[in-house]
Amino acid sequence: MPQPSRRTTAIFVAALVLLAAWLWVAGRETRLSPDAVPSGGIAADLDLKAKPIAEQLASSADPAQAERKELAPLASNPAAPASLRIELRYSNGDAGVDLQVVLKPHDIGRHAVSARRLRGQSDAAGRAEFAQLTAGKYQLQVLHPSQFEHDLSLAPGEARTLTIQFDAGILVRGQVLDRESRGVAGAAIWSLVDEMGTSPIAMSGPGGQFLLRDVQPYFGIGATSQIHSPSPRTWIQGDPGDEVEIKLILQGASGTVRGRVLSADSQAVAGALVVFPNRRLPWTFLNGDPMESVTQVRCRTDAEGRFLAEGLPPFELTVEVSAEGHGSIEDKVLVQAGRSSEITLRLTDTAQIHGRVLDENGLGLADIRVSASSRLAGAMGESTSDANGAYRLADLTPGTINLQFLAAGKNLHEELRVLAGEDRLFDLTFASGLQVTGLLVDKLGAPLDEWSIAAVAYRGGSDFSAAETDQRGEFRLEHMQPGCTYRLNISAPDSGFPPNLLLDGIRPGTEPLRIVVPDNALQRGSIRGRVLDAKGKPMQGFHMRVMHMQSEFPCSVDLRDDGEFLAEDLPAGRYWIFIALGPQLRNLPDVELSPGEDVDLGTIQAEELGSLSLQFLNPLGLRPQALAIFDQDMRWIGSVDLLAGGLTDYPMLPGSHFIQVQGEGLSSRAAQVVIRPGEQKVMQLRLESGVKTELQFSFADPEHAMTRSMR
Amino acid sequence: MTRLLYLKLNDASGRLFSSERLVHRDGIFKLETFLPPGLYSFLGRCLTGASAEGSFELGASMSAKQVFEFTLH
């Protein structure tokens, strides 16, 4: 039988990445957070295609840089501080003035609260400077609608100058208004990308006016103010070079919350992040995962641990507090319009988990990755077991902690309930578990060498195991859990995912398998096409997704600036294809790909969008929280928060849709709406009450029959 | 393996209440929604082609945690 090889490990890692990608796509599909599209997918794409970076080492011709170099100790001194000068330019060369810049050491989490997160603001020349930096890796963020992010590494004593020129985008002339159409000065304009922290991207000036330059298409923004509830969200539509006008309408009266954040021993906690996420109830699409409003109110505590959160909608809100070195907490606070509520929030002590990872003989296993996460705190830390198998995870938020142990061919989860201040000992034994062995042959019975077999549990757990066939075509999948049912993803050498062959319903501990791979399983095909916008120009700001429906693997799609896309190396099967256009998805007809077939979908022209505004007749005082949108075939295509109880100019794909207003106690009855290209539709909807109902469906799986037929 | 279930839920007069793409956990699909009392019918279809349809009545006095179970064939 073959031993695990380096290639098997690579296959395992690749499969995990693909699984994560699938979960991400599935999450996008089911989680329906409308801002998830611009904040995740489009941001990443813009970074890749823009790369607006001219990175240079500081020139000695620059006196300031020369001075810094002269003062800087020799680079060989690892303690010598580094410095970074950032020069921000709009696409036309103008200086990027008054822009917030965040520099974050690479070793703190994306959402982590840390005093080591450095902030700066560009001056009148578009420059921001950071001095006395510890050498190492950093992530740079510019709080600008380009969502610019850049990873960089600074050497000891280095003086770096980084010139950032934003991609050409849309010029947005905006105005913040109240419900009586009066301009509101001093309102904060927020990106709907929640990672942008506690700083708005702009403030409204006299008459509520504000200006945003080089905004990328489908960028989402919202406004908050001290005395109004936040505005509904607006997505910026247009092409780079366009100039658009938008209005952000603040909603009714708001309330404020004054509070104090204390440590577990009643000491004031400065710099704690206080977030009012307006977290909603879990909805059906989310499979129990809560959605989060992005137009959230955030602030930090002062030196005395005090905070003031203004412009909060008058509901019972969740508040989350986190600070470095403390366990995160959440609480509820009732916000009343025109009034101030008081709250004291006490952080908990952190917890620790330590132990050893052992094999069946009690010997320590080295290089096992151990990570901890929880619902409240997200990812909290990661460790790798040492030569004795020992690991330690510190600074954990107490509560229910999910531990993941990850090694080649093995992935185990454990859930621990850990108390504040506790240092929990937890040893894990990596039992070899059950096995699945087998033989992989072609239709003539010849063994197939170096094929990869990845087993993924889909019932009874989340286990994973991988192996590779040897010269005799034999394979052995180890560490499989009893009670789990697995799918085998079978891939030819040098063949990517989706796999060439799928085999369902595999349970460990059964007799050896004999798997015959049909000839046509080796034939790979492709799907190509071109996407144009309503004006016949290559579409900007969109993503293509191609998913192999049987395996549910997302396929890699090569998308060019001219709108052409190509997904290749595809096995036969049915493919689900959709275009993600800002907050909405457009499903294309499914493609049934024959073995080795190349399908050209030709030119796909997107329609001119319309928009939808909603006014509610609400005699029962119900709280609408989200609007789900379906196409005429009842397929969900998008969703939007109704945080402030209304909807204004939401971009809609033309056609016949069903819309469904969702909220606690609200009937989920859907209404039909027809949107014509360019139409700005205004609808009145009467809100009705409903009873919370849970339906549960189970099904008889034909997996046993499938398994027998494949053997 | 079937992860996805497409589900439509209508009331007795044919008005749409839910059109969902549910992802299972351990073979169980769950739908949580808000419905007025009345008669409802549903149609479910999973990727394997298995489908099920049925109906139920939701009474005004039913508890908020009422669970209905159906089997797809």
Side-chain angles (χ1 to χ4, degrees), chain A residues 64-280:
Chain A
Q65 296 289 334
E67 184 183 1
R68 195 158 39 237
K69 272 193 157 180
E70 198 174 293
L71 293 172
L74 291 176
S76 57
N77 177 1
S83 66
L84 178 66
R85 168 187 285 188
I86 296 148
E87 300 189 349
L88 300 171
R89 294 277 177 271
Y90 289 112
S91 58
N92 66 355
D94 287 355
V97 180
D98 292 342
L99 294 174
Q100 302 284 322
V101 181
V102 178
L103 191 63
K104 178 175 76 66
H106 220 267
D107 60 337
I108 64 174
R110 186 176 180 83
H111 302 280
V113 178
S114 173
R116 292 183 295 138
R117 193 186 285 259
L118 305 170
R119 296 173 177 275
Q121 181 167 330
S122 60
D123 60 16
R127 287 181 181 169
E129 304 206 23
F130 295 92
Q132 298 295 316
L133 297 172
T134 305
K137 290 182 177 177
Y138 289 87
Q139 185 185 59
L140 174 71
Q141 276 186 311
V142 182
L143 305 192
H144 175 265
S146 70
Q147 303 171 36
F148 181 88
E149 283 185 13
H150 179 56
D151 290 326
L152 70 158
S153 185
L154 293 173
E158 181 180 356
R160 177 92 61 97
T161 296
L162 195 63
T163 302
I164 297 167
Q165 184 161 23
F166 301 124
D167 273 351
I170 301 165
L171 179 66
V172 175
R173 296 187 186 280
Q175 189 178 18
V176 181
L177 302 168
D178 64 15
R179 280 177 158 174
E180 284 71 48
S181 299
R182 295 173 296 212
V184 179
I189 316 300
W190 296 87
S191 156
L192 298 188
V193 182
D194 63 354
E195 288 84 355
M196 288 202 167
T198 50
S199 300
I201 55 172
M203 300 294 289
S204 63
Q209 309 280 345
F210 66 92
L211 188 71
L212 299 173
R213 303 173 64 172
D214 287 337
V215 178
Q216 295 305 310
Y218 296 105
F219 188 79
I221 58 173
T224 61
S225 85
Q226 293 179 342
I227 57 170
H228 302 86
S229 289
S231 75
R233 303 162 175 195
T234 295
W235 277 264
I236 309 299
Q237 295 184 65
D239 294 324
D242 288 353
E243 187 173 323
V244 302
E245 293 187 358
I246 62 159
K247 289 181 168 47
L248 299 175
I249 314 295
L250 294 166
Q251 299 300 300
S254 66
T256 61
V257 173
R258 291 176 187 277
R260 195 152 187 233
V261 177
L262 302 175
S263 63
D265 57 355
S266 300
Q267 301 298 308
V269 177
L273 178 64
V274 181
V275 181
F276 292 82
N278 302 320
R279 198 181 291 282
R280 292 203 304 245

Side-chain angles (χ1 to χ4, degrees), chain A residues 485-537:
Chain A
T485 308
Y486 291 82
R487 155 176 287 180
L488 300 191
N489 296 292
I490 302 167
S491 299
D494 303 322
S495 183
F497 286 94
N500 298 74
L501 194 64
L502 298 169
L503 193 56
D504 278 328
I506 303 300
R507 292 200 171 89
T510 55
E511 60 191 52
L513 303 173
R514 184 175 189 275
I515 303 171
V516 178
V517 178
D519 280 349
N520 62 13
L522 283 167
Q523 295 175 308
R524 311 282 278 193
S526 67
I527 299 172
R528 69 177 68 235
R530 188 174 189 213
V531 182
L532 302 180
D533 66 15
K535 300 171 185 169
K537 295 192 295 184

Side-chain angles (χ1 to χ4, degrees), chain A residues 556-578:
Chain A
S556 118
V557 181
D558 182 19
L559 181 62
R560 300 192 334 202
D561 284 345
D562 62 3
E564 292 201 2
F565 66 89
L566 172 65
E568 52 187 351
D569 195 22
L570 305 179
R574 193 171 187 82
Y575 287 85
W576 172 34
I577 303 172
F578 63 89

Side-chain angles (χ1 to χ4, degrees), chain A residues 19 22 26 29-30 281-289 456-461 487 504 549-552 576 587 630 633-636 658 660 662-671 688-703 706, chain B residues 1-11 13 15-37 40 42-48 50 52 56 58-73:
Chain A
L19 272 175
W22 177 84
E29 171 203 327
T30 54
L281 295 171
W283 292 105
T284 36
F285 303 97
L286 310 179
N287 278 314
D289 296 328
V456 182
Y458 60 88
R459 189 169 298 173
R487 155 176 287 180
D504 278 328
M549 291 176 75
Q550 286 92 340
S551 67
E552 295 166 3
W576 172 34
N587 286 303
F630 307 88
D633 298 321
M634 317 300 180
R635 291 181 295 195
W636 174 74
F658 283 92
Q660 184 187 63
Q662 302 176 329
E664 178 78 28
L666 260 171
S667 160
S668 65
R669 185 158 71 87
E688 299 167 349
S689 63
V691 178
K692 189 174 183 179
T693 310
E694 187 176 322
L695 308 177
Q696 185 166 301
F697 300 83
S698 58
F699 65 97
D701 196 329
E703 62 191 20
M706 290 171 62
Chain B
M1 175 171 64
T2 298
R3 283 185 191 277
L4 295 176
L5 175 76
Y6 298 90
L7 181 82
K8 275 176 64 177
L9 185 68
N10 295 80
D11 69 4
S13 56
R15 295 183 303 182
L16 177 72
F17 273 75
S18 275
S19 174
E20 315 275 346
R21 187 194 295 264
L22 305 177
V23 180
H24 82 71
R25 285 181 175 171
D26 293 336
I28 303 294
F29 298 92
K30 286 185 180 175
L31 167 65
E32 189 177 284
T33 188
F34 292 88
L35 304 173
Y40 293 89
F42 70 90
L43 173 65
R45 177 177 63 85
C46 54
L47 272 182
T48 60
F56 60 89
L58 186 67
S61 60
M62 280 190 164
S63 77
K65 290 292 181 187
Q66 184 68 43
V67 175
F68 301 96
E69 292 194 12
F70 304 103
T71 302
L72 294 175
H73 296 286

